[in-house]
Amino acid sequence: MSQDLVNVFLSALAATANPSLLAAVTVMLLTPHPKRLMLGYLLGAYVTSFAAGLAIVFSLHRSGGLSSSRHFLSPLGDVIVGAVAVAVAVALATDRDAPLRAWRARRSERKTKRERPSWQERMLSKGSARLTFIVGALLSFPGVTYLNALRHISALDAPAPVAVLLVVFFCAMQQLLLELPLLSYAFAPEWTRDAAARTR
């Protein structure tokens, strides 16, 4: 099996651990009509992630930029990551991060006092499938893990249908925390409603 294909699968597994999606699903499960809201969010996420993923893969494939830049970007990326790691280590060893830690503690304390929900939570709690579609679309633009997978998909130089299937596979894995509750509603609605009630 190609190393690029292995990297695509590993990136897809990593993408399932999505804290933003978990928070959104938790908020939607606490509303009176979670199934409708989750479906709206999922459709919005699919539209953005499919469209962006396919556009990136096929533009990389057509431009040939991936093969020409791979040997330059990889060593440069290693140097940058190494320099950042050394800087962080020096800051931690010399206690130069103390002002940052103090600032974060003050900010966390202010946040705890306010207890104001995030904009995603406020939008999702309004109970509109249209709003969840918009939130899902906005929160599903390719991140680092997805971009890494797209680079490996393009490097495979596979036929177009295979590349499309790999993008679809990644997008489906990325939304697994949302797809599982939806499937549960489809096949075991009573049990899922009880589980949502217990969550409330």
Side-chain angles (χ1 to χ4, degrees):
M1 184 182 290
S2 164
Q3 186 61 42
D4 286 310
L5 192 56
V6 171
N7 286 326
V8 171
F9 281 99
L10 291 177
S11 297
L13 287 176
T16 60
N18 186 338
S20 299
L21 182 58
L22 182 60
V25 171
T26 304
V27 170
M28 288 185 284
L29 281 173
L30 300 178
T31 61
H33 305 288
K35 185 178 174 184
R36 184 179 65 200
L37 299 183
M38 288 191 295
L39 189 58
Y41 187 106
L42 185 62
L43 291 175
Y46 278 165
V47 166
T48 298
S49 56
F50 287 158
L54 292 172
I56 291 169
V57 164
F58 288 114
S59 65
L60 283 174
H61 187 69
R62 279 196 305 270
S63 67
L66 185 73
S67 58
S68 61
S69 63
R70 182 186 302 161
H71 298 298
F72 172 72
L73 289 176
S74 184
L76 179 62
D78 290 343
V79 169
I80 291 171
V81 170
V84 169
V86 168
V88 169
V90 168
L92 292 174
T94 58
D95 206 31
R96 291 187 183 180
D97 64 325
L100 178 62
R101 280 188 278 128
W103 175 79
R104 286 184 68 187
R106 288 193 304 272
R107 185 168 172 257
S108 178
E109 190 177 334
R110 284 198 303 269
K111 259 175 117 177
T112 305
K113 285 178 184 174
R114 282 187 313 210
E115 288 295 332
R116 191 178 177 210
S118 66
W119 73 270
Q120 299 103 311
E121 292 173 338
R122 293 196 303 273
M123 293 278 281
L124 293 171
S125 62
K126 289 183 180 178
S128 165
R130 288 180 184 173
L131 282 176
T132 59
F133 179 92
I134 294 168
V135 173
L138 291 176
L139 293 181
S140 300
F141 280 97
V144 175
T145 309
Y146 193 12
L147 291 173
N148 181 55
L150 294 174
R151 183 175 72 85
H152 288 293
I153 290 171
S154 183
L156 285 169
D157 204 21
V162 175
V164 169
L165 283 175
L166 286 171
V167 169
V168 169
F169 164 76
F170 188 94
C171 294
M173 289 292 288
Q174 191 173 229
Q175 302 300 326
L176 200 60
L177 291 175
L178 181 55
E179 292 158 347
L180 291 177
L182 266 174
L183 285 172
S184 182
Y185 265 107
F187 294 106
E190 293 298 327
W191 180 88
T192 309
R193 273 193 288 271
D194 291 343
R198 286 195 299 273
T199 304
R200 288 192 190 97

